[in-house]
Amino acid sequence: MNHIDAVFQELREEGETALIPFITVGDPDLGTSVEIIQALEQAGAHMIELGVPYSDPLADGPVIQRASERALKHNVTLIDCIQTAENARQAGVKLPFILFSYYNPVLQFGLERFFSLIVEKGISGLIIPDLPIEEDGEVRAKAEEANIHLIPLVAPTSHDRVTHIASKARGFVYCVSSLGVTGERSDFHKGIEAFLSAVREATTTPIAVGFGISSREQVERFEGQADGVIVGSAIVRKIEEMVPLLQSPATKQEGLEGIRAFVSALRG
Ligand SMILES: O=P(O)(O)OC[C@@H](O)[C@@H](O)c1c[nH]c2ccccc12
């Protein structure tokens, strides 16, 4: 049993859907990231994707690309992001943390060192969007050994790979709602309902849907079809809007309240 499993089990008993925000760690700075994580928990988030800023975020739209640029202006590193999880825990945050990183920073860091550090700092899950299942053997073995959930992504175009990917999934299966890069959308892939049912059929592991979700009505649309809903760009854009307030001590609380209120409205 891992912290992520416990949260999904509790939500299932309550008939609730998990709200899973994504933020870029270090945006606008590392100290504020801890306060933003606290605000997300206060707003009712159930677990958080902690994104490692990356210079070449291929799968990201402009909002998250800009967030990475803001964080990389302060040279935020993979270690900083992992340390932020521990800092948030020490600040009293109870939520499970999912580290979200492209593969290159993890590879450069070294798998042994990486897994022992994320276990030590209390990370429960890992998403590496550019590590296909065909190549994830070594990472998967180390994750299993460390009781870290390696969360795979499946897309509406995954078709016959869905069963294979879902059968190996731990934590939850990340169902990508649309093709293309991250970013708010007014609509999703045309076969999204059938896709989510196919993934549901393929595994008893919880499934969560992400990409493009930015409003309470869009969250509501997926409650019941999925065990969790992931929201990134819409929250990252709210953080971007609040940056001027967050950067001045006199208005920082107002900025954090703006983020909390936005996420609380998604929760409904
Ligand atoms: O930003 P969106 O459209 O709300 O989608 C979630 C997404 O931000 C987050 O899960 C994520 C951030 N970067 C990614 C790269 C690939 C897949 C997923 C992601």
Side-chain angles (χ1 to χ4, degrees), residues 22 49 59-60 64 100 102 129 153 174 182-185 210-213 230-233:
F22 165 93
E49 287 182 11
D60 280 303
I64 291 179
F100 188 106
Y102 286 88
L153 290 94
Y174 189 137
T182 59
E184 296 160 78
R185 286 163 165 82
F211 267 52
I213 299 167
I230 297 153
V231 180
S233 298

Side-chain angles (χ1 to χ4, degrees), residues 8 20 33-34 50 69-70 88 134-135 159 185 206 235 243:
F8 273 118
I20 309 172
S33 283
V34 173
L50 298 178
E69 284 157 21
R70 285 194 295 274
E134 293 76 10
E135 297 162 37
H159 299 314
R185 286 163 165 82
I235 293 173
V243 163

Side-chain angles (χ1 to χ4, degrees), residues 1 46 75 103 110 122 134 169 177 211 218 232 234 241 257 264:
M1 179 65 97
H46 296 100
N75 304 310
Y103 191 35
E134 293 76 10
S177 75
F211 267 52
Q218 288 178 330
E241 277 171 33
E257 178 51 26
S264 181

Side-chain angles (χ1 to χ4, degrees), residues 4 8 11 26 43 56 77 93 113 119-120 160 180 184 225 235 249:
I4 293 171
F8 273 118
L11 289 171
D56 187 19
T77 64
V93 174
R113 199 167 146 234
V119 168
E120 182 197 332
D160 49 358
E184 296 160 78
Q225 293 183 66
I235 293 173

Side-chain angles (χ1 to χ4, degrees), residues 208-227:
V209 58
F211 267 52
I213 299 167
S214 58
S215 68
R216 174 64 198 150
E217 72 188 296
Q218 288 178 330
V219 172
E220 273 175 350
R221 168 177 174 173
F222 292 115
E223 287 177 343
Q225 293 183 66
D227 304 294

Side-chain angles (χ1 to χ4, degrees), residues 3-20:
H3 195 176
I4 293 171
D5 304 324
V7 169
F8 273 118
Q9 188 171 327
E10 195 181 314
L11 289 171
R12 188 170 288 152
E13 284 157 12
E14 293 162 5
E16 288 268 310
T17 303
L19 178 63
I20 309 172

